[in-house]
């Protein structure tokens, strides 16, 4: 039988839970994609690009005008100045950017350190580079950093610190003092920090997103990854981007050039229009998501989940121990099949997911949905939860 290192990686939990949701006609609050589209102005710009002259290869690093707009926004938002020609790069989504960062910067034997729970592509990207992924667990329920555990994982082989804020799946937004302490560790151990900031616009007051690159001394040792997918509710377009000092940008552009080469030209042209939207769009965007967050929080709390309001992202992590005391994979499957609401087990965001499932009693719900979809989930809970609990002998 042919063997490959990819055999260590099964289908993603996102695909598994979405397939299960479809098979059981469950309301899918598992996978993080909106069930509504982004602004018509962006779609119309892409349609015009297709009808016009944007149907051949774009420059590998991205359309110049899109990179100009990205650099302009980064300076206006955060006071961070980047040369659009040498320090801004367009990728086919943030996931491709993550892969290119790890493949471009790591050699076999290098180490990458990150926090767990983490986005599920980190182990695959690290493995393909021949590097080793090491983790330090954030401590629930407030998802605090265990600083001693983090530093104990750093060795002379450690090359990169992968960092995600606003954090998926917890919804935590890291504070200034935490970022400064991470920056001090990066400088002490000469680490490059790769930051996944795709939820930067999904921040709920009073939380504030602070880019790692804005911390003193970090601009030239940080690669900032973000994406248009979450900000403009167009996840299928897969237009991501990075900001990085030019020597780092040069390294991560190489694997991009020899794999994807360039992202879809007309979709890049459409996204130029996205970054010309007025500030009102972003204010309305956050208000829309605040309402959906509060709606799902109320539903989950009404049905005995324990959950805090997330500071960012469009996810809620919920403790389900008042309902059932079983591993989170088993709970997610039961909730999908028997109640009709799909969620994600948090243990799927850990290196040793089997072990994490045994001790974890939290699942993740997505609220990037129409209010009618969230209310459909409420209806499923109302109709099915009590009966499902009775079938497993739970006193209700």
């Amino acid at each position: 039988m042919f063997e490959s290192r990819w055999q260590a990686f099964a289908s993603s939990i996102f695909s598994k839970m979405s397939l299960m949701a479809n098979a059981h006609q469950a309301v899918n609050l598992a996978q993080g994609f909106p069930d509504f589209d982004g602004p018509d102005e962006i779609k119309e710009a892409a349609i015009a690009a297709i009808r016009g002259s944007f149907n051949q290869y774009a420059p590998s690093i991205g359309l110049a005008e899109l990179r100009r707009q990205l650099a302009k926004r980064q300076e206006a938002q955060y006071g961070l100045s980047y040369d659009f020609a040498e320090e801004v790069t367009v990728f086919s989504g943030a996931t491709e950017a993550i892969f290119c960062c790890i493949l471009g910067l790591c050699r076999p034997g290098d180490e990458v350190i990150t926090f767990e729970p983490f986005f599920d592509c980190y182990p695959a990207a690290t493995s393909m580079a021949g590097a080793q992924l090491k983790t330090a667990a954030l401590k629930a329920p407030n998802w605090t950093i265990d600083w001693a555990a983090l530093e104990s994982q750093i060795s002379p082989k450690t090359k990169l610190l992968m960092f995600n804020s606003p954090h998926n799946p917890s919804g935590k937004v890291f504070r200034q003092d935490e970022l400064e302490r991470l920056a001090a560790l990066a400088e002490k151990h000469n680490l490059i920090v790769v930051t996944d900031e795709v939820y930067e616009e999904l921040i709920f007051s009073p939380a504030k997103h602070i880019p790692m690159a804005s911390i003193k001394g970090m601009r030239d040792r940080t690669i900032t990854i973000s994406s248009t997918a979450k900000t403009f509710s167009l996840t299928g377009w897969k237009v991501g981007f990075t900001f990085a000092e030019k020597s780092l940008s040069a390294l991560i552009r190489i694997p991009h050039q020899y794999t994807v080469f360039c992202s879809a030209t007309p979709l890049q042209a459409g996204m130029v229009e996205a970054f010309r939207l007025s500030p009102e769009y972003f204010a309305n965007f956050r208000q829309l998501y605040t309402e959906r967050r509060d709606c799902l929080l109320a539903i989950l709390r009404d049905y005995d989940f324990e959950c805090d309001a997330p500071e960012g992202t469009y996810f809620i992590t919920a403790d389900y121990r008042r309902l059932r005391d079983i591993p989170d994979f088993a709970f997610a499957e039961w909730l999908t099949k028997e109640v009709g609401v799909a969620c994600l087990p948090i243990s799927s965001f850990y290196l040793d997911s089997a072990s994490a499932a045994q001790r974890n009693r939290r699942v993740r719900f997505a609220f990037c949905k129409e209010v009618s979809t969230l209310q459909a989930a409420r209806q499923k809970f109302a109709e099915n939860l009590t009966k499902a609990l009775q079938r497993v002998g739970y006193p209700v």
Side-chain angles (χ1 to χ4, degrees):
M1 184 178 184
F2 186 78
E3 293 186 359
S4 164
R5 54 183 164 177
W6 282 107
Q7 288 170 303
F9 301 96
S11 296
S12 77
I13 189 63
F14 308 103
S15 297
K16 288 179 180 178
M17 295 309 301
S18 286
L19 286 171
M20 191 183 300
N22 291 337
H24 295 274
Q25 291 80 53
V27 178
N28 188 355
L29 304 185
Q31 195 166 359
F33 60 85
D35 59 357
F36 51 88
D37 278 349
D40 287 340
E41 301 97 305
I42 306 174
K43 293 192 286 183
E44 291 301 323
I47 291 167
I50 291 170
R51 289 178 175 148
S53 57
F54 287 89
N55 296 297
Q56 308 308 324
Y57 294 127
S60 179
I61 59 177
L63 289 178
E65 185 56 29
L66 178 56
R67 287 181 285 117
R68 283 192 190 94
Q69 291 292 331
L70 289 167
K72 180 179 177 182
R73 181 164 177 79
Q74 199 72 352
E75 184 157 22
Q77 288 270 95
Y78 309 118
L80 288 165
S81 178
Y82 290 94
D83 176 359
F84 83 92
E86 295 192 281
E87 298 183 314
V88 183
T89 310
V90 178
F91 293 85
S92 292
T95 300
E96 194 229 337
I98 290 167
F99 266 78
C100 289
C101 286
I102 295 175
L103 290 170
L105 296 176
C106 289
R107 296 174 296 183
D110 285 342
E111 295 174 352
V112 177
I113 188 166
T114 193
F115 294 110
E116 57 181 359
F118 51 70
F119 185 56
D120 74 336
C121 79
Y122 295 178
T126 307
S127 176
M128 294 311 108
Q132 180 185 359
L133 184 67
K134 299 172 75 173
T135 63
L138 298 172
K139 295 189 288 187
N142 296 321
W143 309 101
T144 54
I145 298 172
D146 184 333
W147 294 101
L150 173 61
E151 190 152 18
S152 72
Q153 292 286 64
I154 300 173
S155 80
K157 295 181 180 180
T158 307
K159 188 77 169 285
L160 303 181
L161 169 63
M162 294 289 300
F163 181 65
N164 174 212
S165 183
H167 183 260
N168 175 18
S170 73
K172 175 184 174 71
V173 176
F174 288 85
R175 304 184 310 269
Q176 177 89 19
D177 63 308
E178 292 173 310
L179 297 178
E180 288 175 351
R181 197 163 174 181
L182 286 171
L185 276 179
E187 291 194 292
K188 176 181 176 181
H189 297 282
N190 195 28
L191 306 179
I192 299 299
V193 180
V194 178
T195 66
D196 176 354
E197 301 181 12
V198 299
Y199 296 99
E200 61 181 306
E201 295 291 345
L202 275 162
I203 298 286
F204 306 108
S205 181
K208 180 182 179 183
H209 175 61
I210 304 170
M212 174 61 85
S214 70
I215 302 299
K216 184 179 179 182
M218 292 304 294
R219 192 266 190 200
D220 288 347
R221 69 166 65 243
T222 299
I223 301 173
T224 301
I225 298 172
S226 195
S227 171
T228 61
K230 310 301 190 284
T231 299
F232 302 108
S233 302
L234 293 165
T235 61
W237 287 29
K238 300 296 290 180
V239 180
F241 48 89
T242 62
F243 302 98
E245 181 272 334
K246 64 181 181 180
S247 65
L248 294 175
S249 289
L251 291 172
I252 65 177
R253 287 173 172 183
I254 294 169
H256 170 67
Q257 175 179 290
Y258 286 106
T259 52
V260 173
F261 180 73
C262 70
S263 299
T265 307
L267 301 185
Q268 291 189 57
M271 280 302 171
V272 170
E273 190 64 29
F275 289 99
R276 292 172 176 160
L277 292 174
S278 71
E280 184 181 13
Y281 166 77
F282 298 94
N284 290 340
F285 175 77
R286 281 185 285 275
Q287 181 59 34
L288 176 150
Y289 270 105
T290 300
E291 292 168 0
R292 283 157 171 74
R293 178 196 67 167
D294 294 346
C295 177
L296 184 56
L297 274 173
I299 293 168
L300 294 174
R301 288 168 175 170
D302 282 349
Y303 289 95
D304 272 350
F305 290 91
E306 292 184 76
C307 39
D308 294 324
E311 298 172 310
T313 76
Y314 46 48
F315 304 114
I316 294 173
T317 56
D319 188 314
Y320 58 82
R321 276 174 286 196
R322 289 178 181 170
L323 296 170
R324 297 195 67 187
D325 188 16
I326 58 176
D328 64 352
F329 272 97
F331 182 84
E333 182 175 0
W334 172 80
L335 196 74
T336 302
K337 293 180 177 179
E338 301 298 326
V339 180
V341 179
C343 60
L344 280 186
I346 295 296
S347 61
S348 60
F349 296 85
Y350 286 75
L351 268 183
D352 187 348
S353 58
S355 175
Q358 293 302 315
R359 63 181 185 271
N360 182 63
R361 297 296 183 266
R362 288 182 176 82
V363 289
R364 191 197 79 175
F365 293 91
F367 55 90
C368 49
K369 310 295 177 182
E370 295 281 14
V371 171
S372 60
T373 303
L374 302 178
Q375 293 299 347
R378 178 185 282 279
Q379 188 66 26
K380 291 283 190 180
F381 281 126
E383 293 174 352
N384 302 326
L385 183 58
T386 297
K387 291 181 286 187
L389 289 169
Q390 288 173 337
R391 284 195 291 272
V392 294
Y394 188 87
V396 292

